[in-house]
Amino acid sequence: MPLFNVYPLYDVTPVSAKGVFVYDENNTEYLDLYGGHAVISIGHGHPKYVEAITSQVAKLGFYSNAIQNPLQKELADKLEALSGCKDYELFLCNSGAEANENALKLASFKTGKSRVIAFKNGFHGRTSAAVAATDNKNIIAPINAQQKVTILNLNDIEGVKRELKKGDVCAVILEFIQGVGGLDEATKEFFEEVDVLCKANNTFFIADEVQSGYGRSGKFFAFQHYNVTPDIISIAKGMGNGFPIGGILIHPSIEAKFGLLGTTFGGNHLACAAGLSVLNAIEEQNLIDNVNETSAYFIKIAKTIPQIKNIKGRGLMLGLEFDFEVGDLRKKLIYEYHIFTGGAANKNLLRILPPLTVKKEHINQFFEALIKALDK
C-alpha cells in the first residue's frame, strides 16, 4: 500500500540520533538545528528521557482517564513550579492542534460566543477551529471555513477594538513569536492592550505557546516577556521531546465540570513519564540559561555576516532573513554540510530551532558551513 503523498521529502533517512546529532543509514552525522519542528527540547536520546519511558512502559503504558493517574498530578505540579503559572489548571491532550482546538472550544463554551480573532501569518494547527484560525487558505477545507474567524494584521489594535465591540468574539488567539509564519512579533504595547481589551469584553485571551513554550524563547513561556495574563495557554511540541503530548493551562477563574473536555490518549502514563523527564532535565541542566547564553552567541556571529539582512525571534526560536529564497540554501546545508534547518511561510527565512542543549561549538559548526554555502 503506498503512503498518501502529502509531504515533500528530503532524501535523508535517519536511523538513530544522540544529543544534537542525527545519523542516517550510512552513519552520516547531521547537526540537527531544527529539532523536528522544535519538538526535540532536551536532545535526542536523552538518558533520563529513555529511562523514564522504558521504566514506565514496563509497568503500565496506558489506561483510560476513568481511573486515577498520579503521574498527571505530578506533571501538573512540576509544570506549575517551573513555569511560574501559579494556580492554573492543566488539561492534557496529544498535540498542539488538539490543544488549540480545546482552548477555542472552552472559550466558546464559557463565553457563549463563537467568533475568533486571529492574526496574519499565524499558525495554530490543522484541525477544525485551529486550522480556521490559521492564516493559510491552502490548508482550510470548506468544512473548516464554516468557522467564524476574523484575521487581523499584527499590531492592528484599532481592528481588535472594532471587532470586540461587536460582542460576538469568544477568543483572541495569537503566537507571541510566530513560528511557521516567520518569527514575526507584535509590539509590547499591542500584546498588553489586547490582554486588557479581552478582559473588558468577556473574551478569552489564548496564548499559543505550542512552539515558543518550554524555555525556547529564553523564558519558560514567550508571553512572560510581557505584562499579560492569558486565560488559556496551549502547549505541545517541546513538552515530550518527541513523545506525542499536548495540553492547555487554564486560568483558575475558569470552572471545570464533568464532560466539558475529554480525550482517549491524552495524559496517558507514557506521555506523563516523557513530560516529567523533560521538565526535570530543563531544571537540572539549567537549560533556559543555556538558551539565553547560546542565543546571544548565535546573534553576535549572525550580525557579522553581510548576506543576513535581518535576525528575527528570541532565544532558540530564531530566523535568519536573506534577500533571496532559502530553499536551495537549505538543500545545500543538508546534502553538502549535513545540517538540518527549517523554512517558513516567509520564503527568505531560514529557521533555527535546535534542542535546548545546543552548545557554542555547534553554533560555530553551523556558521562555518553557512559562510561556505553562501560563498558558493
Side-chain angles (χ1 to χ4, degrees):
M1 178 187 294
L3 297 175
F4 197 52
N5 189 18
V6 293
Y7 299 116
L9 302 177
Y10 290 107
D11 189 18
V12 179
T13 306
V15 295
S16 65
K18 190 72 175 174
V20 298
F21 294 104
V22 172
Y23 302 88
D24 69 12
E25 72 273 35
N26 300 313
N27 205 34
T28 303
E29 181 179 85
Y30 295 80
L31 175 62
D32 185 7
L33 295 187
Y34 193 56
H37 311 298
V39 166
I40 303 301
S41 49
I42 61 171
H44 296 280
H46 191 290
K48 290 200 171 180
Y49 173 77
V50 173
E51 180 186 2
I53 291 178
T54 304
S55 172
Q56 185 59 50
V57 77
K59 293 184 290 188
L60 177 63
F62 171 82
Y63 206 76
S64 83
N65 282 307
I67 46 80
Q68 300 290 328
N69 182 354
L71 288 172
Q72 292 186 356
K73 185 64 168 65
E74 189 180 347
L75 178 62
D77 289 346
K78 190 74 175 180
L79 181 54
E80 179 182 48
L82 294 194
S83 70
C85 292
K86 186 171 173 54
D87 297 327
Y88 277 76
E89 296 177 344
L90 176 64
F91 174 78
L92 289 164
C93 55
N94 308 282
S95 68
E98 191 181 343
N100 283 327
E101 201 71 42
N102 280 289
L104 293 166
K105 180 180 181 179
L106 186 56
S108 185
F109 261 137
K110 291 298 183 178
T111 64
K113 299 185 282 188
S114 59
R115 189 160 62 101
V116 172
I117 292 175
F119 295 92
K120 186 174 174 60
N121 287 328
F123 186 94
H124 302 290
R126 292 177 179 268
T127 55
S128 180
V131 78
T134 292
D135 183 29
N136 183 346
K137 289 183 171 61
N138 293 328
I139 63 172
I140 300 174
I143 195 170
N144 308 127
Q146 298 177 91
Q147 306 281 351
K148 299 174 185 175
V149 178
T150 300
I151 305 285
L152 301 176
N153 289 320
L154 276 179
N155 293 317
D156 181 7
I157 197 64
E158 293 305 316
V160 174
K161 289 177 182 176
R162 179 184 69 247
E163 296 303 324
L164 289 178
K165 278 182 182 176
K166 296 176 182 178
D168 63 340
V169 176
C170 68
V172 174
I173 185 168
L174 54 77
E175 302 160 276
F176 284 81
I177 308 170
Q178 292 187 332
V180 174
L183 287 300
D184 288 327
E185 300 175 68
T187 64
K188 176 179 186 290
E189 292 74 20
F190 176 79
F191 287 135
E192 294 179 0
E193 191 165 356
V194 169
D195 184 40
V196 171
L197 287 167
C198 284
K199 289 170 174 52
N201 286 275
N202 186 31
T203 299
F204 280 23
F205 187 28
I206 301 173
D208 181 341
E209 295 275 359
V210 167
Q211 188 169 125
S212 57
Y214 271 59
R216 186 156 293 278
S217 75
K219 291 184 180 289
F220 196 92
F221 288 126
F223 79 80
Q224 291 168 331
H225 292 280
Y226 308 97
N227 182 27
V228 298
T229 305
D231 296 287
I232 305 176
I233 305 157
S234 56
I235 52 178
K237 290 189 185 297
M239 192 177 179
N241 201 48
F243 196 97
I245 181 173
I248 50 176
L249 277 63
I250 303 161
H251 193 271
S253 63
I254 301 167
E255 186 180 357
K257 70 174 184 179
F258 291 159
L260 190 65
L261 303 175
T263 173
T264 296
F265 296 104
N268 67 72
H269 296 75
L270 267 181
C272 288
L276 278 164
S277 73
V278 168
L279 290 173
N280 288 332
I282 288 173
E283 180 181 37
E284 292 165 13
Q285 295 177 231
N286 298 312
L287 290 185
I288 297 179
D289 289 343
N290 185 64
V291 168
N292 288 304
E293 183 180 342
T294 310
S295 177
Y297 185 73
F298 182 100
I299 292 169
K300 182 179 178 182
I301 298 175
K303 286 179 176 178
T304 69
I305 299 173
Q307 294 97 324
I308 296 172
K309 304 306 177 186
N310 195 12
I311 304 164
K312 302 176 77 172
R314 295 172 181 261
L316 291 177
M317 187 173 178
L318 295 166
L320 301 178
E321 192 169 32
F322 298 86
D323 59 6
F324 57 86
E325 293 193 4
V326 299
D328 288 341
L329 177 60
R330 287 183 65 205
K331 288 177 183 176
K332 262 186 194 173
L333 288 170
I334 291 173
Y335 295 129
E336 296 182 31
Y337 301 98
H338 303 136
I339 298 175
F340 291 147
T341 58
N346 176 352
K347 300 300 182 185
N348 291 4
L349 192 84
L350 196 69
R351 270 202 298 166
I352 307 296
L353 300 164
L356 308 187
T357 53
V358 70
K359 300 295 183 188
K360 291 177 182 178
E361 65 201 67
H362 307 127
I363 302 305
N364 290 338
Q365 180 182 342
F366 165 69
F367 278 114
E368 286 167 11
L370 180 64
I371 289 166
K372 288 177 185 175
L374 289 170
D375 285 345
K376 285 184 178 180

